[in-house]
Amino acid sequence: ILFKIPVFNFGSENINEAYAKIEIFGATYERIAEFETDKTQVKSGGQANLLTSWKADVYSGVYHVVATVYYDNK
């Protein structure tokens, strides 16, 4: 599965390092997997895509995904 998270920098300063932490949970919210996207820069007024992939080696069913975006240690 390919994850593509668009991020936008509406601020006046460049973002030196942006990335996301992805958490996959099962139907009863048990954690199945946790991983991070590649890190990238986002210029002021610009945008970027945070990309990663996951080999979904699980049974078909209902899963929940939580993506938390971090930038410049925030």
Side-chain angles (χ1 to χ4, degrees):
I1 296 176
L2 176 64
F3 292 92
K4 178 180 176 184
I5 303 167
V7 292
F8 302 88
N9 182 352
F10 295 114
S12 59
E13 298 180 17
N14 293 337
I15 295 173
N16 295 314
E17 183 178 85
Y19 68 97
K21 181 173 106 176
I22 308 290
E23 296 174 280
I24 311 288
F25 297 93
T28 58
Y29 293 95
E30 72 280 7
R31 186 180 315 228
I32 303 293
E34 181 179 336
F35 47 92
E36 294 181 356
T37 66
D38 293 334
K39 296 178 180 176
T40 190
Q41 295 179 337
V42 187
K43 294 191 182 276
S44 174
Q47 68 181 53
N49 290 309
L50 304 177
L51 302 172
T52 192
S53 61
W54 175 54
K55 181 176 172 145
D57 196 11
V58 294
Y59 294 109
S60 62
V62 175
Y63 293 88
H64 308 276
V65 178
V66 175
T68 306
V69 176
Y70 299 92
Y71 63 96
D72 291 341
N73 297 319
K74 298 179 183 175

